[in-house]
Amino acid sequence: MLPVLFALLQVVVGPSAPPLVRPASPTPPPAAPAADVYSGRARSIDVRAPRLNDTVTIDGVLDEPAWQRASLLTDFTSYSPVDGRPAQDSIEVRVWYAPEALYVGIRAFAPPGTVRATLAERDRIASDDWIALHLDTFLDRRRSFVFAVNPFGVQADGMRTEMSAGPGVSRGALQAVDLSQDYVWQSKGRTLDDGFMVELRIPFKSIRFQAGATQDWGMQVVRQTQRTGYQDTWAPASRSVQSFAPQAGALRGMTGLKRGLVLDLTPTSITSTSGTRNSTSTGWQRGTRGEAGGDVRWGITSNFTVNATANPDFSQVETDVGQIPGDVRFANFYPELRPFFVEGSEQFDAPNKLVNTRSIVQPLGALKLTGKIPRTDIGLLTALDAATGTGTGDDRANPLFTIVRLRRDLGTESTAGIVFTDRSVGTRFNRVAGFDTRLQFRKTYSVEARYAASLTSDSTKRSGSLWEGNVGSSGRGYGFRYSAQGFSPGFQTQSGFVNRVDFTKLQLNQRFTFFGARGGWWDQRQHFFTGSTLWTYNAFARREAPLETSLSLDNSMTLRGGWKVSVTPDLQRIDFDPRRYASYAVPSANGRDTVAFAASAQQITSSTALIVNTPQWRRVGATITATAGTEPEFFETGTVRRRDLEAQVDVRPSTQMRIGALLRYQRFIRARDGSLFSTQVVPRLRLEYQFSRALFLRFVGQFESRDRSALRDPATERPLLRRATNGTYTPLSARKSLLGRGDVLVSYLPSPGTVVYLGYGTGVDATETMRPIDIQRTTDGAFVKFSYLYRVRGTTR
């Protein structure tokens, strides 16, 4: 039945959809002579690339003599969704190096008319065909620089670590790479009748690598083909091995690498004007300001870098995507996007998000040292933030951040590390110190342990701790993980992100994976069972009943051609923590007094989520997530019927235009009487036109509509009240808001660090009537930003 349904969908989508029967790939022409040929499937993966003094033009044509003498990498193997099979399409990768740079030439073959490519914005090529080069320049088998290109040579780059791939994400995918980091390198590509060709040049001064006259680097090449949904790797990688980087090949015996003087200066200038509508009149209050700042990057050695910034511009050029919280009790996490902090951010990776640089709001200046001595990673960061208080004494002091992260390599894949963070504001401070280790055994088994303690001093002095341990295995067909963690009530981090404390949690995961027959209608089927139980921190020690218990079973299937379908039933049992409602009350029966609010009894709820991912066709790709069922409601301590929908569509009318639409919708209905509890809707539209690889125009528009009824006691249906600090009670009345934001940006970005932004943004509000037709502008602003990356020429001693 499923094959018939998807065949009908292929007809609806139109001729751009991939055929159910894949045309035979054209036979690639004979390879040109090369110095050496390295077959991945034959496990010939230790590459001795030639060192040449030739120069080539990066134009996407491999016609210079140097390419004929380069080492040739061939015979790729499938990795995802099924591993161990010969790649469906041929690919040839040529590698050589000159004293100042590494050169890579790619010739990828594909059936005529099947290549997916757009003139995309940097780092936004995941919907295209792409090829990624992973360079483990310290050969520690734990992290890699990633340089990815689509068929036009559009770049995506960043850092991949073994901990960066989340559940359900292929360890070879771009989603497993931190793409926030940008490096200076060159690439150019072009499509051909039977595939595409791309040329890369990666300067040695743009990356960090181990000290020594002779260099050995880990190397892997990954190809994503949207027509089939397959990822292929040059060095064969098995899904039964927990780590991805140790399965890579290697570049051996490179000598005479010259970085020269690594000193980058990036002055920045920004002029902005902003306006706010005066609430007492129809006029506007406006202001204009100009600022200058700059960044410095100094490569002290090949493996140590100092970054400094003074009065940096950290303004956002695009608003964060509006989120609907999965659990209203806890804050949402937003990723770091600011250039100074993202460079070398892998050196500050700490478990449990103990380092979150977005807590540094607007630094006046910052200094960072990152690097690696043999087997030890080092990250040091200090920043002076702008004061936010308006009072006296500590309220007007500037927050000073100090962050230290050290991590030691143990054996071939294991690690142990320490972290220390301090945020001091006058006499007040928050300090956290922690230890963590990850031990890898027999390729598929791992054990992790973490502990951290915090000390906070402000109006009071308090301390707390967190601990966590887990053991797991990641086999090809079966995997498991058992974990335990606890956060004491007094734990706090003001330099990280921890959205919940005072709990102890036990969790188990079991995964079963099955693979379809070659040429069949499905490629992979996975069943992922998760069970968890949560107590308050002290209740666990007293062996009391748990506060929360949940069970879920994620059943996912990858179908031929790139379709993905997932169905996940979920069952929860919740007891409401009475401490959360200590300040709540309800009117008495006579209406003149108040009585304490009693939280509802235990709630048992269930829901089911459906996720459908379409293939990335030539012009469109989409993801739809729908959830229905019942859920605990933590405002009133009742049960609600839940309806969630998230739909995301990426339309590519041409190679230069992208239209991205996102809709998030959530509706809660009280189960006890069928009344509406809340509705939240977040539509977002993103339009892009890429004039060239460097120049683009972007519009982003977003609304956030939130409507919650007045809170009522589920037992009596009387209004819920909350006690204020002065002892008075106020009703928890209805809350409504309809806010919008629109941003237009023209960007010229020829290379990382060199940019011209011209932007305008406006905020609108229609909360009074909750009708979009009644929106009024409440804020607006325009800015012009210039920055220029200047690389100081010179030689090191």
Side-chain angles (χ1 to χ4, degrees), residues 536-747:
T536 59
Y537 192 78
N538 293 322
F540 178 76
R542 295 192 297 263
R543 300 184 180 180
E544 297 178 4
L547 200 64
E548 303 174 13
T549 301
S550 68
L551 303 172
S552 68
L553 181 62
D554 182 348
N555 305 281
S556 61
M557 181 174 284
T558 301
L559 308 179
R560 186 179 182 186
W563 287 91
K564 295 181 181 179
V565 180
S566 172
V567 179
T568 306
D570 178 87
L571 180 67
Q572 294 186 75
R573 183 199 59 76
I574 298 291
D575 279 315
F576 297 100
D577 188 348
R579 297 173 301 173
R580 173 178 168 83
Y581 308 97
S583 63
Y584 280 27
V586 294
S588 62
N590 60 25
R592 293 188 297 270
D593 302 312
T594 61
V595 295
F597 169 69
S600 300
Q602 179 184 105
Q603 307 285 305
I604 298 178
T605 63
S606 63
S607 62
T608 301
L610 169 68
I611 303 175
V612 178
N613 292 275
T614 74
Q616 289 295 335
W617 292 302
R618 183 179 300 279
R619 299 301 182 200
V620 66
T623 300
I624 298 175
T625 303
T627 304
T630 56
E631 180 168 296
E633 192 286 297
F634 290 94
F635 285 110
E636 296 180 338
T637 70
T639 296
V640 291
R641 293 196 296 271
R642 172 183 181 179
R643 300 292 184 270
D644 285 57
L645 176 68
E646 179 173 315
Q648 185 168 351
V649 180
D650 184 19
V651 182
R652 302 173 288 274
S654 70
T655 58
Q656 294 174 271
M657 178 178 287
R658 286 178 180 250
I659 303 172
L662 171 67
L663 174 65
R664 288 176 172 162
Y665 170 84
Q666 184 183 81
R667 188 176 182 87
F668 285 167
I669 304 293
R670 292 183 178 93
R672 63 182 185 269
D673 60 7
S675 61
L676 176 64
F677 177 76
S678 69
T679 302
Q680 301 183 74
V681 184
V682 180
R684 181 181 175 91
L685 180 67
R686 177 181 172 123
L687 307 176
E688 299 174 354
Y689 190 84
Q690 201 84 24
F691 297 95
S692 66
R693 281 178 55 180
L695 179 65
F696 73 83
L697 170 68
R698 179 173 72 208
F699 166 78
V700 178
Q702 176 175 290
F703 274 98
E704 297 187 32
S705 173
R706 306 183 189 273
D707 186 352
R708 192 200 72 192
S709 65
L711 302 188
R712 312 196 304 257
D713 179 3
T716 65
E717 298 300 333
R718 296 172 190 156
L720 273 180
L721 311 174
R722 175 180 286 165
R723 184 178 63 249
T725 54
N726 61 5
T728 61
Y729 285 92
T730 57
L732 293 166
S733 56
R735 290 186 176 182
K736 296 183 178 182
S737 65
L738 178 55
L739 305 175
R741 177 77 188 177
D743 295 286
V744 179
L745 178 71
V746 178
S747 171

Side-chain angles (χ1 to χ4, degrees), residues 18 24 113 150 178 182 199 222 249 264 302 313 373 388 488 490 527 580 660 687 692 785:
N150 76 356
D178 176 10
D182 292 325
E199 204 169 8
V222 182
D264 295 346
S302 64
D313 163 47
I373 58 178
T388 57
S488 72
H527 307 280
R580 173 178 168 83
L687 307 176
S692 66
K785 172 184 173 181

Side-chain angles (χ1 to χ4, degrees), residues 779-797:
T779 61
D780 70 357
F783 71 95
V784 179
K785 172 184 173 181
F786 299 91
S787 69
Y788 178 74
L789 173 62
Y790 174 68
R791 296 203 133 173
V792 179
R793 296 183 179 275
T795 58
T796 56
R797 294 181 180 179

